[in-house]
Every structure is written in structure tokens, then in C-alpha cells.
Amino acid sequence: MPSEVHRRAFLQLLALAGAGSVALPGLAEAGTGFPLASRGKAATIVVSSDDRPGVRRVVGDLAADVERVTGIRPAVSFDVVPKHGPVVLVGTLGHSPLVDGLVAAGKLDVTGVAGKWETSLSQVVDGRLVLTGSDQRGVIYGVYEISRRIGVSPWYWWADVPPRRSAELHLPGERFSLGTPHVKYRGFFINDENPALGTWAPAYFGPGKAPGYPGGFNHLFFAKIFETMLRLRANYLWPAVWGRAFAEDDPVNHATAKEYGVVMGTSHEAPMMRGIEEWNRHAVAAVRDGAGNITTPGHDPYGGTGEWSFRRNGDAIKAYWTDGIRRMAREDFEGVVTLGMRGNGDVSLPDGDGIELMREIIAAERDILARELSTDVPQVWTLYKEVQRYWAQGLRPPDDVIVVFTDDNWGNVRKHPDLSLPPHPGGYGLYYHFDYVGGGRNYKWVDTALLANTWEQLHQASAYGNDRLWVANVGDMKGNELPLQFFLDYAWNPAALPAERLSTWEREFVAANFGSALASDIASVLHDYGRLQSRRKPELLNRRITLQPDGTIVYDDQATPFSLVNYRELDRVTTEWQDLAARASKLSARLPSAYRDAFYELVSYAVTASANLYALRRAEFTNLLYAAQGRASANGLAAVTEARFTDDLALADKYNTGIAGGKWNGFQTQPHIDYGDVARYGPNAPWQQPELNNVALPDVIFPAVRRLDLPAAAGLGVAVDGSEQWWPAAPGRPVLPEFSPYQSAPAQYIDVFNRGRTPFRCTVSSGAPWVQVEPRGGRVEEELRMTVRIDWSRAPQGTTTVPITVAGAGGSVAVDAVVRNPALPAAWRRGFVEAGGYVSMEAEHCSANVGAGSVSWRRIPDLGRTGAGMTPFPVTAASRAVGAGPRLEYRMTLFTTGPVTVWAYLSPRSNVLPGDGLRYAVSLDDAAPQVVNITKATGADDMTMNRQWERTTSDNVNLTSTRHVVDAPGPHVLKVWMVDPAVVVQKLVVDTGGLRPSYFGPPESTRWP
């Protein structure tokens, strides 16, 4: 890594060492260490009444946690230290006379802690356990670390994780610190909260307090959020905004944040500590004609036109912002003030996007801060969506403002700071998404994050210096527990989470919630869940996206993205999900009953419901294909689809009413099946959840299945692997995909099906004894699948076409089997082998990884849709001249000569660098490398969020190609060259003329050692 990255990592470790940090300790053996609870008694917890409010409050949580584990509730004493018995002394340096007295007496060394940000210290002094810190959150994090160690999960309330019961609790007494967090402000955004959280929370905690807005979230709700934040070592929150106003929905919401010690903020569209709903509730915008004249007057509380427009209603807007800062000063809560301005409703400004306008807006906001509070209060400018354009055009905020870069809403960071320029003094941050509403389609039902992808993007952000403020959009929060905790853990200490520790982190997450006995098995399920789910959002399972020859991108929201006929793709991916669900079910049965609710919430529901959805989609789209072919089996598949839909509803109902005593009733109400149903809910259906008048609709099956009214008489139909047509209706003879002794694709098949209600018998004859069909015929009630295989010991060399005749119900169809059996000399048996008209290679399976100086390609497990990803490291490496960078080499044997196309399957990364696009290069053998500018080749624009961008993010791949000429059959070497960092190569496919359409590309080819 560059020296600067090394320096930051070293300073991080030095800070930990200075604070006395060691590896996270567990509990001590009974009879040793500090007795937090022993022999039926618990230590007394002592705190100063002069301490900070968050510290005075958190001691009650510690007492409750000890009681949860032992059944004994410790006494809490303010100021008075008992003369006898064990004592836990909790206090903030400089705010606790009890702790400060120990420091003054030389009994407690606070070197490396005092004066730091949110740094904890625990140590036994004179037989008493001291929990202190540099500030109130440092103390709070140290207290909750004790809770974790004794067996109380941060998710004990939000996911009903039971505590690990124990009668004895003994803690090691050595000096320990969690260290200083790497990212200063770390938190999340509760967003897109309708219908799930928006339905459940007001019903559970009671309605909001604002007259006329019962759906608001009150302080009881936010108290549970704040507690969980602090248990996760977060400190910063953007509160919910869909029809909700934090300050109005409960007058004590801000006071509650202050009581807990949480830093409040507002989202990227809500400047000056006022949520946009505070404006919308009290303003009616004027209506203007095309010339800008008001035709219908509007109003707002400040005597303006009601428009959210700095140009047309600036005085009212500034007065509105002034009230927000006055409230912040009056209520004296800790916050980070959002600067800038966006349009009302998460859109661009109605006044245009000129730099001078934004400069004027920020200047006005700064003037208000200087006048009403102070410009020393932390401030942030978030470059979300179109706002990044201002930065690209050279606009810079004042030096003390934090500049937050963002992802593209789909987990791909859009821009990094330019390392060739002086850094912005206010520092940089990151806004990241685990939930999203917008194009190409919402994703908000279940967790779809892939930890490997999250890690790789967070690693990049950290390496480029983004360490001042990180916030993740987590939707309802519940359902995104795992990625949220990972995000916050990484923000706390990136050095502790290299890629090699991802699987360890997963096991530790599971062990903390379900114990260690089944931790590896459950972690494996969660790991595979993330891997399978990241391939495509479940909301997009009924959208096929195709690129037409003229470059037009076409959506079909009544089709599966996976191939029904090529490489058995939909069958294979559905089977993977069914296998995963079976593993989860077996683990649930093995868990103690106390863990079953938590397992359903954290693991089983998402796994089982997703697997069921894949089964539903397979039955549904197979039904539609078979109905078009007239197959008798189509009707049975319609029934299967409906049964899976019933199962979907039952799984949600169990979540709502069958676990935790009905605690989560109303939560699992997020539609996820009926996307795209324009006829039912209008023109926004291609991207928006099923809803009318902003109220979510219950799901229905979309597209609808079909049922056939079959004739009584039998009718012969034949379909073959690789085609959606059927014979004898289709013209010409059906041809099976090419056979090869080196093929890795599933075995070819012939389907014989009935187009009527009367069964018939079919027979099959092969034109060569070494072309074998199993079964060789039989009774066909609805359909019969016959597998075709080659006896390669008897097949002739070269290419042979062998007819296979299927007869039955008074008709017959001849199917051609093209058998290619090329010679493969021993000298050619190196690397991948062409079969079926292609060579398919996972990027990780290179034959050579050739570095260039300190830069080389690195394998990131699971980063690809079908395998690992390969990306240049270090991520801050400078771009390289074409042919001078590190390269990946792939040995392969080709039998086809002439022009071939090399398809590169790349992660859909944004152009994070200052140039005009991310680049890589490809060469074949010794030919000159061909450069591909991915950004230009795909046309994807994360600023305008065009269809090209929607295609790459929805499909989770950038698919680009180069053309090469193979001059002779035999061994060849394909080379992939680094030109820019941040490129992730997932897979490479060489199309020699037989590549068939599919979502993942063909299975990996056979490879010789």
C-alpha cells in the first residue's frame, strides 16, 4: 500500500496501544477476576449525579442486562460508594468526581484515553471495576461492551435474541480499551419505512404526537433505536422522513436523543436540522404558469408563496431554516447540520443547478449559523445524486464542512477524493445504501447485501481518506441487522477487518446471537444467503433486460431474467435456494427453543421466503412458457405457483403473529411480487412498490399464470434444450446444443409432452448406437424429459450430426444431435478447453497473476455473481499505461479459428476517479492490448441514472466485449491488464460462435491442470 495508507493504519494501531487495548477479552473463570455477579449477589453500580445524561442513563441498562443474564438486578447508587461488596464505578473523565479522584491519586492511568474521541477504558482499581472514557459515549460504549461480554446481544430487543443465562459473571481485571473509532460520526438513516415500520411502530409504541399525523414516530420508538445504536457503537442518526417529522412527531424526541447521548442529523434533502416534512405539513405551494406568473396563490408560515424554492421564496426558506437552528440552540442537543438544498421529494432543485445558486444557498445557511448558533457546529454537505455535479464543476464548501461522497444507491461508491489534489480540510464521508427506493426498482423487502462487496467498497472509501462521517440507509433497520452491524464495525476499526476475516466476522456475529455450538453452520447459511441474494434483488425476479442491436435497452416485466432453456439456469439457481432453505430448516430444528424466534427474524424468514419466491418464479415462468407451447403440464405449474404464493403469505403471517408473542404484528407487510403491474397501480409500477395514493397494496401474482383448456385427444409436442420453440409447430428440425467430451454444461435433453388430456406412448430411436437417450420412451401423461448422452469411447473424431427420432400420438419429430469430438494432443491439455462454442472462466482461476511493482490483482472471495472477484491492489494505485500494469493470464485451448468475442463480466462500479471512465485492457497471445473504457462502453451514468445505469446495477454486472482473431487451433493465452484501479473482474467468456443467452453466462469450462 502507499505510505500514506500505511501511516494511517499504523496511527490507528498506535492509538489502540496507547489506550491500553488488547484483544477483546471474554469472561474470567468463576472465582477469578472481578465478580460482577456471584453467589446470588450482584455488584453495586455507582455513578455520579454530576455526570453526563447518557452515562447516568446507561447504568440502568447495565443493571438490566446483568438481570437478564443472572436473574439478579444490581443496585444502582448515585454518588455513594458502598463500603462493602464489589462495585462497578462508571463515570466520564472530567465529569465524574469519583473517577477523577482515582486519576488524581495516581491509581488510574488515563494515558491514551483522556482528550480522545469516544475512547473507553475499563480496569479494576482497588478491587473495583472502573468503566470510564474520554467522553460520555466512550463510557457508554465501554458499558455496553460489558453487556456484550456477559451475553446480551445488541439485538436482544430488535431481534429477540435471548441472553446467555449464567449464575456467575466474572470479568478480567486487566486494563482494556475499545480504542478510538476510525470514523468520527457513524450511523444510519431510517428511510423508506412504509409500509413495514410505518405500520408496526405506531401500533406498538403509540401514535405520533403531532395533531393530524398519528403515523409519526414518538420518543418511545426512538429510545429503542438510540439504545441499539449505542450498543452497536454508532453515534449518529438521520431519522425517518416518509411523512414524518422528527421534531414535531414528539416534542421530546430531541430531548430523548440528548438523554441517550446520540448525535442527530437530517438527510441529504433536509438542510438546517429540519426534516422536509416540517415544511410540507404547513406549506401549500403556489401554482405558476409557463411564464412564471402565479395562477393559484400558495402560503407558508413565513408569509411566503409556499414553494420550496430559494429563488422564488428565499425569505421564507431562510426564516424556516433560522427556526431550525434556533431550536437546536434552545434544546441544546448535539447535531451535525446538513447544508445545501435539494428539491422537495428527493429530486433536483426546481431553480436549476447553477453553481452560483448553490454557493448562495450555502452562504445563506452559514450566515444563519453564525448569527443563531455558531459555525463551529459540525456541518455536512452530501453529494447525493445530482448534487455531485456541483463538486465536479469545482464548487467547494467552507473548509470546516464535511464533504460526504455517496454510493449509487446500489452499493457502488460514485466518487473518491482526488489524491493528486490537497485534501479538503473538513474531511470526507460516505453515504451508503442497504435499502433504496427509485430506479431501476425499489429494494426494501429483505437484506440483499453481500459482505464482500460492502467490505471492498468501504475499504476503498477508507483508503481514499473518507473517515469523518459514514451513514448507511438501512430502510426499516429491522431486516438489515447483519449488514448494518458490519458497516458500523468496519467504521469503528477497518484495520481489524481485512478481507481475510470476513468469514470470522460472520461466525462471531452468529455466536453472539445464537451461541457457539452451531455458529459455523449458521454463519455458512448467512454467507451463502448473501452470496445468492446479491446476484439480483428479489424485487427484480420478474424483469428481463435486453440490449437491442441499436443500443436500445428493453425491459420486460413479465419475464424471468434467468434463462428457462439455456444451461438449465433458472432450475440451477432455484435449486441452490431450495438447498439453502433446507439447511436453514435443519438448523432451526437443532437450536434450543429459546432461539427460534430470533432465528426466524435474523435467518430463517429471509432465507425461506426468498427460496420460496424463487420457486414461485420458476413455476410461474415455466407455466407461461409451457402454456405458450400448449403443454398439459402448464396447468399443474399454475397450481404450484399459487401454492407458493400462499406459502409466501403464510411466512409473512408467521412473522407478524406467530413469533415473539405477536410483537411484530404488521411489520412483514412489504410487497415484493407485484412490481411492474402497470394495469393495477399505474405508470410508476416499473420501479415503485405496489401502492395507490402512497399506501402499499397487498401482493398478487404478477404476471398472472395461464391455464389451458386442453382437448381430449392426445397431441405430440417436442421441445429441446436451448430453445423455447416446440415441434412439429416450429419450422425446420430442432437441433440440440453441441455435444463435446469437454463440456461442463448440464446434459442436453429432449422434452416430449402431451398437448391433450389422453395419455400416449412415445418411442425414441437414435441414428447411432453411441448417442444414448434415457429413457428410450414411455407413457406420456403430461411430459417426459429424456437426457441425451454420448459414449465418447465409441464416438468418431470430428463433427458428426446424428438424428434422434421421437414418435407418438400419431406423429414424429426428428431431432439433430451435433457431436463435436476434436483431437486434443497432450501438448494442448493446459488450462480451459473450448466446448459448446465458448470458453467460460471465473476470473479467480487465472493461470498467472503477474504484478507490476507493488501493484497486483487480488482475489476478493464471493465478489462476483458466480465466484470471486479480481481487483487491483492497493486500491489507491495510480493508473497505468496500457500494457504496463499488472495482468491476469488465462491459458486455454481453442478448436475454433477466426474472429472471437471476449466478454468481460465486471462489477458495476462507478467512475470513482477523476478521468472520463474506468478502463481495463485485453489481449490474446502477443497481440497489442485493446483498451476498454467501461463507463463509455456501457453508457451507464450514475448522475442521470439512465437506463444503461439501471441495467448494470439491476443485473449487478458491467458486460463489455472485445474482438480478437484466433489464427490457429491449439493453446492460447488471454491476458487482462490493469489500466485503472477499482475495476473488478468477475468472469471471462470467449465466444467462439456457440454462446447462448443467459443471465450468468455459461458454467465454467473444463480446465486441465
Side-chain angles (χ1 to χ4, degrees):
M1 284 189 172
S3 58
E4 174 60 20
V5 179
H6 272 309
R7 187 181 73 84
R8 285 200 298 268
F10 174 76
L11 291 176
Q12 175 87 2
L13 295 172
L14 187 63
L16 292 172
S21 173
V22 295
L24 291 181
L27 297 177
E29 294 291 331
T32 67
F34 176 80
L36 184 60
S38 182
R39 299 180 181 179
K41 295 182 179 180
T44 300
I45 303 171
V46 181
V47 67
S48 171
S49 57
D50 294 329
D51 214 320
R52 302 295 302 277
V55 174
R56 298 197 306 268
R57 191 209 62 81
V58 79
V59 295
D61 283 354
L62 179 59
D65 288 344
V66 172
E67 184 179 24
R68 289 183 179 102
V69 173
T70 66
I72 307 164
R73 190 175 186 91
V76 175
S77 172
F78 284 87
D79 303 312
V80 179
V81 179
K83 294 181 179 180
H84 304 288
V87 170
V88 179
L89 186 58
V90 182
T92 311
L93 293 176
H95 294 273
S96 170
L98 301 171
V99 174
D100 291 343
L102 295 175
V103 176
K107 295 182 177 182
L108 182 64
D109 181 6
V110 294
T111 303
V113 177
K116 299 289 186 180
W117 175 262
E118 297 183 343
T119 303
S120 66
L121 176 64
S122 64
Q123 186 175 338
V124 172
V125 178
D126 292 341
R128 298 166 180 166
L129 177 62
V130 179
L131 302 179
T132 187
S134 59
D135 50 34
Q136 72 166 335
R137 282 189 295 275
V139 179
I140 291 168
Y141 298 148
V143 169
Y144 281 138
E145 179 58 28
I146 299 298
S147 295
R148 287 201 200 198
R149 285 157 58 183
I150 67 175
V152 178
S153 166
W155 301 108
Y156 82 94
W157 196 89
W158 281 100
D160 300 301
V161 176
R164 293 197 301 270
R165 299 303 299 269
S166 177
E168 297 282 322
L169 295 176
H170 295 258
L171 299 170
E174 69 267 18
R175 176 184 175 89
F176 172 75
S177 174
L178 291 164
T180 302
H182 180 76
V183 177
K184 186 172 185 178
Y185 296 106
R186 311 161 307 282
F188 53 89
F189 182 16
I190 296 175
N191 191 27
D192 311 329
E193 66 272 11
N194 293 337
L197 198 63
T199 299
W200 172 81
Y204 190 89
F205 292 104
K209 307 298 184 183
Y213 296 95
F217 294 165
N218 61 35
H219 77 281
L220 299 175
F221 165 80
F222 279 109
K224 289 299 184 184
I225 294 290
F226 295 151
E227 178 191 340
T228 304
M229 288 175 60
L230 295 167
R231 287 180 182 269
L232 294 169
R233 298 198 286 272
N235 61 8
Y236 179 60
L237 181 71
W238 288 357
V241 297
W242 277 33
R244 295 177 175 87
F246 182 78
E248 293 188 353
D249 287 337
D250 192 329
V252 298
N253 272 345
H254 275 127
T256 305
K258 182 177 179 179
E259 177 190 0
Y260 276 76
V262 166
V263 184
M264 289 306 301
T266 50
S267 76
H268 50 81
E269 67 165 351
M272 302 297 277
M273 205 54 75
R274 301 204 75 172
I276 192 66
E277 187 63 16
E278 288 190 67
W279 178 267
N280 292 338
R281 287 180 179 180
H282 308 292
V284 175
V287 178
R288 296 178 184 264
D289 61 22
N293 301 308
I294 293 178
T295 57
T296 303
H299 60 84
D300 57 57
Y302 302 97
T305 65
E307 296 165 284
W308 184 253
S309 167
F310 193 78
R311 281 280 182 250
R312 290 174 165 172
N313 198 25
D315 288 344
I317 295 292
K318 285 184 282 187
Y320 171 77
W321 289 341
T322 298
D323 274 357
I325 299 306
R326 285 176 178 169
R327 181 175 61 203
M328 185 179 182
R330 182 176 62 252
E331 299 188 8
D332 190 31
F333 59 87
E334 189 177 0
V336 178
V337 176
T338 292
L339 299 183
M341 186 178 185
R342 300 187 66 228
N344 196 331
D346 198 9
V347 296
S348 59
L349 282 173
D351 303 319
D353 58 3
I355 282 182
E356 288 307 316
L357 172 62
M358 185 56 64
R359 184 176 284 117
E360 185 180 343
I361 289 170
I362 292 175
E365 292 166 338
R366 295 276 289 185
D367 286 345
I368 293 169
L369 283 169
R371 185 174 65 249
E372 302 294 339
L373 185 58
S374 170
T375 54
D376 292 336
V377 67
Q379 299 149 66
V380 62
W381 186 38
T382 302
L383 308 182
Y384 184 61
K385 289 186 177 178
E386 80 288 343
V387 181
Q388 185 174 297
R389 184 183 296 114
Y390 300 110
W391 181 268
Q393 293 174 354
L395 178 61
R396 298 293 181 266
D399 283 352
D400 57 301
V401 175
I402 303 168
V403 174
V404 171
F405 292 97
T406 75
D407 72 350
D408 64 350
N409 303 294
W410 292 73
N412 306 288
V413 175
R414 295 176 63 201
K415 191 65 68 176
H416 293 315
D418 186 345
L419 297 182
S420 68
L421 299 176
H424 175 65
Y428 305 105
L430 176 67
Y431 174 38
Y432 199 78
H433 284 75
F434 298 122
D435 165 283
Y436 176 58
V437 166
R441 183 164 286 175
N442 299 1
Y443 62 91
K444 44 188 300 208
W445 172 43
V446 288
D447 163 28
T448 58
L450 175 67
L451 285 193
N453 186 82
T454 303
W455 177 89
E456 193 265 344
Q457 292 292 277
L458 298 187
H459 171 77
Q460 279 193 32
S462 178
Y464 277 84
N466 292 12
D467 61 6
R468 202 60 54 89
L469 183 151
W470 285 12
V471 61
N473 185 330
V474 294
D476 303 310
M477 188 182 80
K478 185 170 178 61
N480 277 313
E481 296 92 344
L482 183 144
L484 171 58
Q485 185 167 334
F486 180 83
F487 178 88
L488 294 171
D489 282 357
Y490 194 89
W492 183 272
N493 185 8
L497 277 173
E500 295 78 12
R501 288 202 75 249
L502 290 180
S503 59
T504 301
W505 185 92
E506 289 171 322
R507 286 194 301 274
E508 290 171 348
F509 174 85
V510 170
N513 292 295
F514 302 107
S516 58
L518 296 174
S520 292
D521 291 340
I522 297 172
S524 176
V525 167
L526 286 173
H527 177 92
D528 288 345
Y529 168 84
R531 179 177 57 82
L532 295 180
Q533 198 71 283
S534 71
R535 292 168 165 179
R536 191 171 188 85
K537 306 298 185 187
E539 290 87 348
L540 280 162
L541 293 183
N542 67 323
R543 170 174 287 178
R544 178 183 295 165
I545 305 175
T546 54
L547 180 65
Q548 301 301 304
D550 64 356
T552 303
I553 293 174
V554 176
Y555 292 166
D556 185 347
D557 286 343
Q558 300 189 51
T560 171
F562 305 106
S563 179
L564 284 160
V565 297
N566 292 326
Y567 313 117
R568 301 196 193 181
E569 187 172 59
L570 183 56
D571 286 343
R572 288 189 294 115
V573 71
T574 305
T575 298
E576 286 185 272
W577 274 105
Q578 306 315 303
D579 291 345
L580 184 66
R583 287 162 55 196
S585 177
K586 290 177 181 178
L587 287 168
S588 179
R590 293 172 61 189
L591 276 171
S593 59
Y595 288 101
R596 298 279 172 77
D597 289 348
F599 190 79
Y600 194 76
E601 295 170 52
L602 291 174
V603 183
S604 187
Y605 173 76
V607 170
T608 307
S610 297
N612 182 73
L613 180 59
Y614 269 81
L616 183 155
R617 293 301 193 192
R618 177 174 61 178
E620 173 188 37
F621 289 116
T622 307
N623 159 266
L624 295 177
L625 173 63
Y626 285 9
Q629 295 174 341
R631 295 197 194 197
S633 59
N635 293 344
L637 287 166
V640 171
T641 304
E642 291 162 351
R644 298 293 75 77
F645 182 74
T646 299
D647 289 345
D648 180 88
L649 299 178
L651 289 165
D653 185 63
K654 178 179 178 179
Y655 201 117
N656 290 328
T657 63
I659 60 171
K663 174 180 176 180
W664 302 107
N665 193 17
F667 187 88
Q668 202 52 253
T669 49
Q670 176 62 52
H672 47 277
I673 296 174
D674 191 33
Y675 278 91
D677 193 348
V678 174
R680 185 181 183 216
Y681 65 101
N684 287 340
W687 65 270
Q688 179 62 282
Q689 69 183 6
E691 64 175 35
L692 286 175
N693 301 318
N694 297 318
V695 177
L697 296 171
D699 267 322
V700 297
I701 297 173
F702 180 79
V705 293
R706 291 179 57 193
R707 282 184 165 83
L708 301 178
D709 185 9
L710 297 167
L716 172 68
V718 173
V720 299
D721 188 13
S723 176
E724 294 187 358
Q725 295 184 303
W726 70 276
W727 285 265
R733 289 162 66 107
V735 181
L736 289 164
E738 182 182 274
F739 292 81
S740 168
Y742 313 111
Q743 78 177 51
S744 59
Q748 291 85 332
Y749 63 84
I750 299 171
D751 279 349
V752 181
F753 57 87
N754 195 347
R755 290 173 49 81
R757 297 197 304 271
T758 303
F760 67 89
R761 294 197 63 81
C762 78
T763 59
V764 179
S765 59
S766 170
W770 43 269
V771 176
Q772 300 167 349
V773 183
E774 291 293 337
R776 296 183 61 85
R779 178 182 171 89
V780 180
E781 294 188 2
E782 290 187 341
E783 61 191 6
L784 182 66
R785 173 160 291 185
M786 299 179 291
T787 302
V788 183
R789 291 187 170 85
I790 308 300
D791 181 352
W792 294 106
S793 66
R794 294 195 289 166
Q797 284 200 339
T799 301
T800 308
T801 299
V802 176
I804 301 170
T805 303
V806 178
S812 67
V813 174
V815 178
D816 285 339
V818 179
V819 182
R820 190 179 189 188
N821 187 18
L824 187 65
W828 291 14
R829 296 177 183 179
R830 300 168 59 194
F832 295 93
V833 184
E834 177 190 350
Y838 64 86
V839 177
S840 178
M841 303 171 286
E842 295 294 333
E844 62 181 306
H845 295 150
C846 55
S847 52
N849 184 345
V850 183
S854 61
V855 184
S856 63
W857 292 84
R858 180 174 172 183
R859 176 182 179 271
I860 309 297
D862 304 310
L863 195 52
R865 298 187 305 177
T866 54
M870 300 294 290
T871 189
F873 256 65
V875 296
T876 52
S879 299
R880 298 300 177 100
V882 177
R887 68 183 185 272
L888 299 169
E889 296 185 352
Y890 299 85
R891 293 177 179 174
M892 56 186 181
T893 296
L894 301 176
F895 304 112
T896 302
T897 60
V900 299
T901 300
V902 175
W903 290 98
Y905 292 68
L906 313 167
S907 294
R909 297 299 186 234
S910 300
N911 179 25
V912 295
L913 304 177
D916 63 356
L918 293 182
R919 299 165 297 166
Y920 72 99
V922 179
S923 63
L924 183 63
D925 298 327
D926 297 324
Q930 300 181 35
V931 180
V932 178
N933 184 314
I934 306 164
T935 310
K936 290 183 176 181
T938 62
D941 187 338
D942 59 29
M943 187 80 71
T944 62
M945 300 173 70
N946 58 6
R947 275 216 168 185
Q948 292 88 336
W949 170 84
E950 289 185 354
R951 176 195 176 211
T952 61
T953 52
S954 296
D955 289 350
N956 200 20
V957 74
N958 272 329
L959 194 56
T960 58
S961 65
T962 50
R963 293 280 286 172
H964 307 263
V965 175
V966 177
D967 55 5
H972 295 273
V973 178
L974 183 71
K975 301 171 186 176
V976 177
W977 302 81
M978 173 205 166
V979 179
D980 291 324
V983 173
V984 179
V985 184
Q986 300 183 8
K987 181 173 182 168
L988 299 162
V989 176
V990 181
D991 180 9
T992 61
L995 184 65
R996 293 179 275 151
S998 64
Y999 184 70
F1000 294 123
E1004 188 170 35
S1005 297
T1006 299
R1007 179 170 56 147
W1008 291 92

